[in-house]
Amino acid sequence: MSATLDAIEGAIFTRLATLKANGATPTTSTPLRTVDRWAGEVTADDIDDALLGVSPSALLAHEGSTTVTRGDQQYVETLGHDVEVVERHAFRVYVTVADTRGDTAVVKGGTGTPGIYACTQAVAEALSGYRITGLLDGGVVALVERRPWRIRRGESRTDLVRFVALAALAETTETLPGAPMTRLDATVIDSDDDVDGQSVTLATSRTTL
């Protein structure tokens, strides 16, 4: 069964939550004080109002979903004669670190205060290659990029870590006209005719689907 957008987001969020320090001192393996969801567009004011006091933090947002084009079509017909529509679900994680000790402390951190590099590294390692049941062809969550998004010199920095996951809509979304394939017949003919000029059958097979 294909994974839904809701299931994919839920699995990613659960995985991200394993990086929370849960009241303990943050470390490079559990560097986050806060892990949360965001439903809309994230602005610099949102970061200031909601996250700077509880950073290092990670905010998960669904960036959007697009149809994946296979060749010149946006679907593939299955053996069952169903239409399989594949979507590319994109997510972004806003990772924020605040440290008023200066730029070095923001990016490199210190004892009990991981820097932005360590935090984005932990997020990337946790989600990149993460296997979620129902992704297309047994696929995994793929890392797209990580880059600075908002920098306040000597105070704080927010980086984006972006991921994508491919999943198909239910195969019964739409059915093409005609009947499903039920049998496959195959015949292998020699490239050279026999002495009487007749074709030579080398092998035949019949498979019931």
Side-chain angles (χ1 to χ4, degrees), residues 27-140:
T27 65
T28 54
S29 59
T30 54
L32 304 176
R33 297 185 187 276
T34 303
V35 175
D36 208 346
R37 289 180 167 95
W38 196 260
E41 182 179 355
V42 178
T43 68
D45 289 340
D46 296 325
I47 298 295
D48 286 341
D49 294 342
L51 297 177
L52 289 187
V54 285
S55 66
S57 61
L59 200 61
L60 174 64
H62 174 230
E63 186 174 302
S65 300
T66 56
T67 305
V68 174
T69 301
R70 298 199 183 198
D72 295 327
Q73 297 177 321
Q74 292 181 307
Y75 63 86
V76 59
E77 183 181 352
T78 68
L79 285 177
H81 218 62
D82 295 322
V83 174
E84 183 183 56
V85 179
V86 178
E87 288 186 296
R88 178 181 184 269
H89 302 293
F91 299 89
R92 57 177 58 186
V93 181
Y94 295 85
V95 182
T96 300
V97 168
D99 198 319
T100 56
R101 293 177 298 173
D103 290 346
T104 299
V106 168
V107 298
K108 301 295 288 183
T111 304
T113 55
I116 192 67
Y117 295 158
C119 291
T120 58
Q121 184 73 23
V123 170
E125 290 179 356
L127 294 180
S128 180
Y130 181 43
R131 192 173 300 279
I132 298 174
T133 301
L135 292 187
L136 184 69
D137 299 331
V140 298

Side-chain angles (χ1 to χ4, degrees), residues 8-9 15-16 21 29 34 43 58 67 70 89 91 94 109 114 132-133 141 149 152 174 183 202 204-205:
I8 295 170
E9 192 273 352
R15 181 76 166 180
L16 198 59
S29 59
T34 303
T43 68
T67 305
R70 298 199 183 198
H89 302 293
F91 299 89
Y94 295 85
I132 298 174
T133 301
V141 176
W149 178 73
R152 288 195 169 174
E174 182 181 352
R183 193 182 74 199
L202 299 178
T204 60
S205 68

